[in-house]
Amino acid sequence: MAFNPQSTLVATGSMDATAKLWDVETGEEVATLTGHTGEVLFLCFNTVGNQLVTGSFDHTVTIWDVASRRRVHTLIGHTGEISNVQFNWDCSLIVSASIDKTCKIWEAVSGKCVATLVGHKEEVLDVCFDLRGQLIASASADGTVRVFSATTHQCLATLEGHDGEISKICFSPQGNRILTASSDKTARLWDAQTGVCQQILEGHTDEIFSCVFNYEGDTIITGIHIHTRT
């Protein structure tokens, strides 16, 4: 799910291949967005709140106009399920990650693919922009992170050290650090420019699937998957 930063709308994606818009003040459904043929599990509003992007297991990404509830573009090019999608800060670009081992950068206005980011040996499980929109970081099942320039599309650093797949990645608000969560039961802090691991966060007893900075960048929250037995 995703909150619209400029209104009372919230978007949800579902395994029924639809996304829905809801008004959080009334709880009423505003619209159902149809067109995907696979599960819609990843979505994001742009920062001005006028567009929504959805990623699906049908290998496609769709850009929607929030006001008209209409599809603007369908982004086709990946050969595997979409694992995450995100707008950059000025709403000009979209980055998508896929289990086809690549990320793609798309122009939000035209829907054109401007670059394919390669190098991972296994599925790409997460991707994100820094807040300035200058850097892109991708996390993979191969246990590495790759940091790319959003303008030149070159790989600037490879972050290695985890002993398992990396399922979540994010930049600090200041953009100088990268936080990763891994199935090796640790989270790690990295220098975004050099790729050097600055700190290993230990203590969890199971795979870490989620991590996030607070707005000030001085606190981290991590979440794990707990296996239960009956």
Side-chain angles (χ1 to χ4, degrees), residues 15-18 34-40 56-60 71:
M15 295 178 70
D16 67 8
T18 72
T34 61
H36 283 297
T37 59
E39 303 166 15
V40 181
S56 172
F57 276 26
D58 66 11
H59 306 179
T60 70
R71 181 167 32 187

Side-chain angles (χ1 to χ4, degrees), residues 17-193:
T18 72
K20 289 181 181 288
L21 297 176
W22 312 79
D23 190 312
V24 295
E25 290 188 339
T26 65
E28 299 286 333
E29 179 185 329
V30 175
T32 299
L33 309 178
T34 61
H36 283 297
T37 59
E39 303 166 15
V40 181
L41 299 183
F42 308 96
L43 41 74
C44 176
F45 285 100
N46 65 3
T47 53
V48 296
N50 66 346
Q51 288 189 330
L52 175 74
V53 63
T54 55
S56 172
F57 276 26
D58 66 11
H59 306 179
T60 70
V61 173
T62 297
I63 305 172
W64 308 86
D65 180 81
V66 173
S68 68
R69 328 299 192 206
R70 293 182 179 178
R71 181 167 32 187
V72 179
H73 296 294
T74 298
L75 312 181
I76 299 173
H78 281 295
T79 58
E81 301 163 4
I82 307 300
S83 55
N84 205 356
V85 288
Q86 190 178 97
F87 279 97
N88 67 345
W89 181 256
D90 69 7
C91 313
S92 62
L93 297 174
I94 294 167
V95 66
S96 58
S98 172
I99 67 168
D100 67 9
K101 307 178 186 178
T102 73
C103 297
K104 289 183 181 289
I105 305 174
W106 314 80
E107 290 181 348
V109 173
S110 68
K112 176 184 176 182
C113 180
V114 296
T116 299
L117 308 179
V118 298
H120 284 297
K121 297 177 181 178
E122 300 293 342
E123 298 99 332
V124 181
L125 303 178
D126 197 18
V127 67
C128 63
F129 283 102
D130 71 343
L131 289 183
R132 298 180 304 153
Q134 299 299 307
L135 298 175
I136 294 169
S138 58
S140 173
D142 65 15
T144 71
V145 167
R146 297 178 74 85
V147 182
F148 296 89
S149 166
T151 52
T152 68
H153 315 140
Q154 297 298 308
C155 182
L156 305 177
T158 300
L159 284 50
E160 299 178 294
H162 278 295
D163 294 325
E165 65 180 35
I166 302 171
S167 58
K168 189 65 179 176
I169 188 168
C170 59
F171 282 93
S172 65
Q174 297 79 14
N176 61 330
R177 289 184 173 185
I178 292 172
L179 175 64
T180 55
S182 172
S183 63
D184 67 8
K185 306 176 186 178
T186 72
R188 292 181 182 236
L189 276 173
W190 311 79
D191 185 290
Q193 297 295 327

